[in-house]
């Protein structure tokens, strides 16, 4: 294997097509049935060999981003999940050497699209390549699960169902290609806080179950069926903390979206506007964007889905 001195990895955001949340477990996490779906909104993570220095830990971080990304919410120290990913890989393989990690962000920060988890997944792949570890995908997935419930999926991409606390993944048959509009919010929401609000609102949540309607919709590739099957148990909790989002969701639905929901723990809202190839989707997309902006969404981003690869060296 060639060992380079700089490696860049492109990694996608996700939207949750179904997020069924059960009761809080003894370890503090919630049992989930979580249908992850990769969308074409990407961060790029570059790792570069750094000269060894006395005052230098394993990784230093820098970040840049699109105009809509709130970089103030990205920690640039050892607490960043991408730095923790590098540290975990170094610890497990004994091959770590100092690196500079640069995060070029397009995925919203604290937006419910797993941007921090995506960066961690990308850092694992990039450091694995840079340090010549050559870990098999299954080992990278295991390390990812130790970093966070949402970290394994961006290694995989496509569509998958996560059980346990969301980290045990099975790929799903999902041949459809879709178009989405995401309404971003300039203020993020803490995932832990949204789960806490969920517990307050649903102290007696039942065990989470897969949705046959979702599985059928995904297998058929039909956008209208998928739109009708979208569900998110965290939506009520996110709306309780951010009541303004209800207006955004309603505006997108009225403008013709085939389905709308809060993405993960929010505050990003996702609107399915059609099949990738549908001639009508472009018109619906324009209407939805207009309506969301009028309803107070901070910004709108179109994206595709269905054939989006997981973390890939570019
Ligand atoms: O796994 P991760 O570190 O991404 O989770 C962030 C927070 O989200 C956890 O600290 C927990 O509060 C909440 N969470 C949860 N149940 C899950 C996943 C996350 O309660 N299955």
């Amino acid at each position: 294997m060639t060992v380079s001195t700089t490696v860049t990895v492109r990694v996608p955001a996700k939207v949750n097509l179904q997020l069924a949340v059960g009761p809080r477990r003894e370890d503090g996490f919630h049992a989930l049935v979580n249908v992850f779906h990769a969308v074409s909104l990407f961060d790029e993570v570059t790792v570069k060999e750094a000269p060894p220095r006395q005052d230098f830990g394993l990784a230093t971080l820098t970040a840049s981003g699109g105009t809509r990304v709130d970089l103030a919410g990205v920690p640039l120290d050892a607490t960043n999940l991408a730095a923790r990913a590098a540290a975990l890989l170094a610890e497990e393989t004994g091959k770590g050497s100092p690196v500079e990690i640069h995060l070029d962000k397009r995925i919203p920060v604290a937006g419910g699209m797993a941007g921090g988890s995506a960066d961690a997944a990308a850092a694992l792949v990039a450091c694995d390549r840079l340090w010549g570890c050559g870990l098999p995908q299954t080992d990278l997935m295991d390390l990812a699960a130790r970093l966070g419930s949402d970290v394994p999926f961006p290694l995989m991409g496509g569509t998958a169902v996560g059980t346990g606390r969301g980290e045990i993944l099975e790929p799903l048959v999902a041949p459809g290609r879709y178009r989405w509009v995401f309404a971003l919010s300039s203020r993020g929401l803490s995932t832990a806080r949204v789960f806490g609000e969920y517990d307050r609102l649903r102290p007696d949540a039942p065990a989470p179950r897969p949705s046959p309607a979702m599985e059928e919709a995904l297998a058929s590739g039909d956008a209208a069926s998928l739109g009708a099957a979208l569900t998110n148990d965290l939506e009520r909790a996110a709306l309780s903390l951010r009541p303004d989002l209800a207006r955004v969701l309603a505006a997108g639905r009225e403008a013709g979206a085939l389905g709308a929901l809060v993405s993960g723990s929010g505050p990003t809202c996702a609107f399915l506007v059609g099949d990738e190839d549908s001639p009508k989707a472009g018109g619906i997309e324009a209407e939805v964007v207009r309506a969301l902006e009028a309803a107070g969404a901070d910004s709108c981003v179109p994206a595709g889905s269905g054939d989006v690869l997981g973390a890939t060296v570019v």
Side-chain angles (χ1 to χ4, degrees), residues 264-275:
S265 56
T268 301
C269 294
F271 300 87
L272 180 63
V273 294
D275 288 311

Side-chain angles (χ1 to χ4, degrees), residues 121-314:
L124 276 180
V125 171
C127 289
D128 177 75
R129 177 67 70 92
L130 186 80
W131 295 336
C133 308
L135 288 192
Q137 179 83 351
T138 48
D139 289 6
L140 290 176
M141 297 283 281
D142 287 345
L143 293 183
R146 285 165 59 185
L147 290 161
S149 316
D150 284 355
V151 183
F153 176 70
L155 291 174
M156 193 180 206
T159 309
V161 60
T163 51
R165 63 182 162 88
E167 86 288 14
I168 305 165
L169 292 181
E170 277 295 322
L172 286 177
V173 177
R177 307 277 173 271
Y178 307 102
R179 284 170 76 152
W180 298 83
V181 173
F182 293 95
L184 312 191
S185 184
S186 54
R187 280 179 298 139
L189 261 180
S190 142
T191 304
R193 203 170 152 229
V194 175
F195 273 104
E197 183 67 0
Y198 178 81
D199 290 337
R200 195 181 70 77
L201 295 171
R202 300 251 2 226
D204 51 357
R209 303 215 174 284
S211 149
M214 174 55 67
E215 282 164 13
E216 280 161 29
L218 283 172
S220 75
D222 177 56
S225 310
L226 180 61
L230 298 171
T231 54
N232 179 359
D233 284 354
L234 288 183
E235 186 163 297
R236 214 175 122 214
L239 292 178
S240 162
L241 298 170
R242 284 287 304 274
D244 56 304
L245 299 178
R247 201 152 46 97
V248 173
L249 287 172
R253 287 190 183 111
E254 280 159 27
L258 305 181
L261 83 178
V262 168
S263 177
S265 56
T268 301
C269 294
F271 300 87
L272 180 63
V273 294
D275 288 311
E276 187 65 59
D277 302 328
S278 148
K280 283 201 302 198
I284 297 177
E285 181 177 309
E287 280 302 311
V288 167
V289 168
R290 229 189 325 270
L292 297 179
E293 284 172 351
D298 289 329
S299 59
C300 294
V301 182
S305 74
D307 55 355
V308 175
L309 295 178
T312 307
V313 176
V314 294

